[in-house]
Amino acid sequence: MANPFHLVVDNVDKRFNTKQGEFIAIRDINLRVQRGEFTALIGHSGCGKSTLLNLIAGLDVATNGVLVCAGREISGPGPDRGVVFQNHSLLPWLTCFDNVYLAVERVFSATEKKPQLIARTEAALKMVGLTHATHKHPNEISGGMKQRVGIARALSIEPAVLLLDEPFGALDALTRAHLQDELMRIVADTKSTVVMVTHDVDEAVLLSDKIVMMTNGPSATIGEILDVKLARPRDRLELAEDTDYHYYRKAVVEFLYSKQKKAA
Amino acid sequence: MSASLTIDAMLTTSGDAAVPAMPAPEAPVEVIPLTAEQIAAAAEREAQTQLAVRRRRDRLAGLVQSVVPGLVGILIFLLLWQGLTHVATQIPGPVKVWDSAVKLFSDPFYRKGPNDQGIGWNILASLQRVGLGFGLAALVGIPAGFMIGRFEYLNRMTSPIISLLRPVSPLAWLPIGLMVFKAANPAAIWVIFICSIWPMIINTATGVQRIPQDYLNVARVLNLSEWKVFTKILFPAVLPYMLTGVKLSIGVAWLVIVAAEMLTGGVGIGFWLWDEWNNLVVEHIIIAIFTIGIVGLLLEQALIWIAKRFQFD
């Protein structure tokens, strides 16, 4: 029987053993993500949102509970989930092309020949608008461009879920806005299922279909889930005067700054 | 536009008969604003020439600033040396040493028996020993460094031994080498091997331990094969550390070979130096010192050059 949900997180806990004893990072996490849905995980720093993303990525193992991606239990990292890291994580000794090709080769070399692999790599770079930087090294391009290569690498392997860990956190505001628009376009084109960690309220409302708000850690869990029913394609200029947008925005801000007020 | 061109031409070639196409009748109307533009353009040209001149002057000044102090230093050194020869008369002065060096290096590759060979042969013999000992050390030390860096257990296992043996003067290993190999040459190579292996092991292991977690996460999320992880991530990430180890090793190896050759004899710059001491040719001792310094400098510069090619950030 096919599960209607593309990504399922069921009763997940994650504890770490530290010198001061057991540390409960997150507990009782239940999450359902549909195919093609854009989900944002938001919360104060230390709320375990990155821990949850790492569990979905398979970089970490849950202490309790089950995670299922596209009908298969997550037991470790795998190319069915594409990850974009906060600090781009491109290999500096490889060109943009080779960075993406490394991923493409890993996933498709068993079934496809080299010209097809090259075509896939070039298509991924074209999608993020970096055809001109194909043969540049990461240190020769800007931070925004690096992050775009990271997105191209993650999407080039046609993952079932795209995982973004504060992908634009290290960028300046203008570049960030530009990349958010790009991401919306790419996600619409590729119909990707996305889970994104963010601490930016506007980013969450602008991009998401669903905002998962997490309570403060330690022992963090999901506080509220907000369905964002804004029509797509979304335009940041039009949304600036949209009452629904402000309603969603206020809901998230209220959760973060009044219900989950963080002692500075 | 055409008017501006012709006026420009007129200004520069004033009165020259070869000026083509005189301005059209309506040109004078445009002359005034264009001249203003031209003045601006000329001013800018002028500014640019000045900038170019200043830049050239700056570059010259930079060159002077970087080269002159070095030359002054060498000059003072030579003067002090010359002065010293008046106090300690057995030490030959710079001029005498220079003359002797010119004679020596005019025929560097002669052979008159095992103990009398050109300085070129001596240098090459030393370099060969260093190359062999150092090459073998790299062959053993770099893979060992990778293993030690990758496996924490191995690291803890080997670290007491390495810590204990590393501070030992490499020459202390010479008797063991002589005993095992029963010949001077392999014993010298053995000493070079021992002294150059430590920096390579330690630096390679450090490099492996310091690979950013991000890079390893990339490998993990893509499930790359061990071979891909090694060739695409581990090796390139460790390479700069490895080259630092290689650079340190070659420096130490070149220091040690001189001392080792003094003890083992044969052909080699260190032995040659000792031999010239026995012959009491002091000029040659000083020449040997400078030769050792220059070769060491060249070795290090070559490795710095190689290392620079593998810097990514």
Side-chain angles (χ1 to χ4, degrees), chain A:
Chain A
M1 197 190 84
N3 195 314
F5 294 105
H6 200 50
L7 177 70
V8 177
V9 180
D10 224 18
N11 280 320
V12 161
D13 295 351
K14 177 65 192 175
R15 303 191 193 119
F16 294 101
N17 288 316
T18 66
K19 277 174 192 161
Q20 286 83 40
E22 197 174 59
F23 174 80
I24 303 171
I26 50 177
R27 61 176 173 84
D28 306 326
I29 302 283
N30 286 290
L31 188 62
R32 303 276 181 276
V33 176
Q34 281 179 328
R35 184 184 288 275
E37 206 171 27
F38 197 118
T39 306
L41 305 177
I42 197 165
H44 291 287
S45 53
C47 74
K49 50 194 193 295
S50 286
T51 306
L52 179 54
L53 198 82
N54 281 346
L55 293 179
I56 300 172
L59 290 169
D60 242 327
V61 182
T63 316
N64 284 316
V66 184
L67 296 104
V68 180
C69 173
R72 265 200 277 174
E73 188 176 344
I74 296 170
S75 57
D80 56 331
R81 283 146 287 147
V83 186
V84 178
F85 301 94
Q86 180 173 9
N87 43 2
H88 69 78
S89 296
L90 298 180
L91 302 173
W93 42 85
L94 298 181
T95 60
C96 296
F97 180 90
D98 288 332
N99 265 289
V100 178
Y101 189 81
L102 187 68
V104 171
E105 189 187 32
R106 165 68 186 85
V107 176
F108 297 109
S109 67
T111 53
E112 291 179 14
K113 293 209 167 62
K114 198 159 183 192
Q116 286 161 293
L117 302 180
I118 291 172
R120 275 182 185 277
T121 308
E122 282 169 350
L125 285 166
K126 186 170 177 238
M127 178 182 65
V128 296
L130 281 183
T131 303
H132 63 283
T134 303
H135 297 295
K136 287 196 168 143
H137 282 87
N139 61 355
E140 296 170 303
I141 59 176
S142 68
M145 288 163 85
K146 282 180 205 165
Q147 207 50 283
R148 284 201 248 173
V149 179
I151 293 169
R153 177 172 65 186
L155 282 175
S156 68
I157 57 175
E158 295 183 353
V161 180
L162 176 65
L163 305 172
L164 306 163
D165 189 359
E166 295 189 27
F168 312 134
L171 303 175
D172 65 87
L174 290 175
T175 311
R176 193 186 309 158
H178 184 63
L179 278 189
Q180 286 163 352
D181 293 343
E182 287 273 288
L183 182 64
M184 273 197 285
R185 178 184 61 78
I186 292 165
V187 168
D189 287 351
T190 55
K191 300 183 173 60
S192 305
T193 310
V194 186
V195 178
M196 177 174 78
V197 165
T198 182
H199 50 234
D200 181 333
V201 176
D202 289 300
E203 182 170 280
V205 179
L206 177 69
L207 298 177
S208 314
D209 299 307
K210 190 191 268 177
I211 300 176
V212 174
M213 293 175 266
M214 299 193 57
T215 62
N216 286 342
S219 190
T221 189
I222 295 173
E224 285 175 35
I225 295 181
L226 181 71
D227 285 312
V228 182
K229 293 188 176 114
L230 295 169
R232 287 182 191 272
R234 296 174 184 170
D235 182 289
R236 66 174 67 244
L237 284 176
E238 285 169 21
L239 287 178
E241 287 158 25
D242 188 298
T243 46
D244 287 343
Y245 177 84
H246 285 282
Y247 162 77
Y248 293 126
R249 197 181 180 284
K250 187 157 174 274
V252 180
V253 169
E254 220 158 65
F255 177 87
L256 289 177
Y257 299 104
S258 112
K259 294 175 197 169
Q260 292 293 326
K261 195 169 179 187
K262 178 121 181 154

Side-chain angles (χ1 to χ4, degrees), chain B residues 32-287:
Chain B
I32 296 157
L34 277 170
T35 331
E37 250 171 54
Q38 263 186 329
I39 290 166
E44 192 174 320
R45 252 201 313 277
E46 175 73 3
Q48 262 174 4
T49 353
Q50 272 185 354
L51 195 71
V53 168
R54 198 179 314 140
R55 215 174 275 155
R56 214 171 304 141
R57 206 187 303 143
D58 284 352
R59 208 179 303 143
L60 198 69
L63 197 70
V64 165
Q65 268 171 4
S66 61
V67 172
V68 165
L71 290 176
V72 170
I74 290 172
L75 193 70
I76 291 172
F77 175 79
L78 290 175
L79 285 173
L80 282 175
W81 179 5
Q82 184 63 46
L84 193 69
T85 56
H86 293 296
V87 185
T89 45
Q90 69 274 35
I91 294 175
V95 179
K96 203 173 167 201
V97 170
W98 177 257
D99 287 344
S100 177
V102 168
K103 208 183 295 162
L104 202 62
F105 280 97
S106 62
D107 184 17
F109 293 109
Y110 70 85
R111 271 194 172 123
K112 292 180 194 160
N115 282 346
D116 187 10
Q117 300 193 8
I119 187 153
W121 289 121
N122 282 297
I123 295 170
L124 286 181
S126 296
L127 281 175
Q128 189 193 18
R129 281 189 198 107
V130 166
L132 273 171
F134 170 82
L136 288 171
L139 230 54
V140 177
I142 290 170
F146 266 102
M147 304 277 278
I148 290 170
R150 198 93 168 97
F151 304 108
E152 185 54 31
Y153 189 84
L154 203 61
N155 182 22
R156 294 202 184 142
M157 206 169 86
T158 50
S159 95
I161 306 167
I162 292 175
S163 312
L164 181 84
L165 296 183
R166 197 170 55 97
V168 176
S169 163
L171 291 175
W173 293 92
L174 189 61
I176 307 274
L178 287 168
M179 186 182 75
V180 172
F181 299 110
K182 297 187 172 57
N185 200 39
I189 294 169
W190 156 252
V191 169
I192 295 303
F193 171 84
I194 284 288
C195 76
S196 41
I197 200 166
W198 308 123
M200 283 197 272
I201 292 181
I202 292 166
N203 279 282
T204 307
T206 310
V208 173
Q209 284 161 350
R210 289 209 189 144
I211 292 179
Q213 190 58 42
D214 297 339
Y215 298 163
L216 298 176
N217 279 345
V218 171
R220 287 181 67 202
V221 296
L222 291 175
N223 254 343
L224 292 178
S225 64
E226 275 296 318
W227 175 246
K228 279 276 172 199
V229 172
F230 182 78
T231 54
K232 297 286 179 181
I233 297 177
L234 228 50
F235 188 76
V238 174
L239 197 57
Y241 288 89
M242 224 169 75
L243 287 173
T244 304
V246 167
K247 197 179 83 190
L248 291 173
S249 288
I250 205 123
V252 176
W254 190 243
L255 279 181
V256 168
I257 192 65
V258 174
E261 282 171 351
M262 284 181 180
L263 294 171
T264 58
V267 186
I269 191 75
F271 168 71
W272 186 76
L273 195 157
W274 196 250
D275 202 37
E276 296 304 307
W277 161 240
N278 288 332
N279 298 337
L280 274 177
V281 189
V282 187
E283 298 99 276
H284 285 184
I285 295 175
I286 294 170
I287 291 168

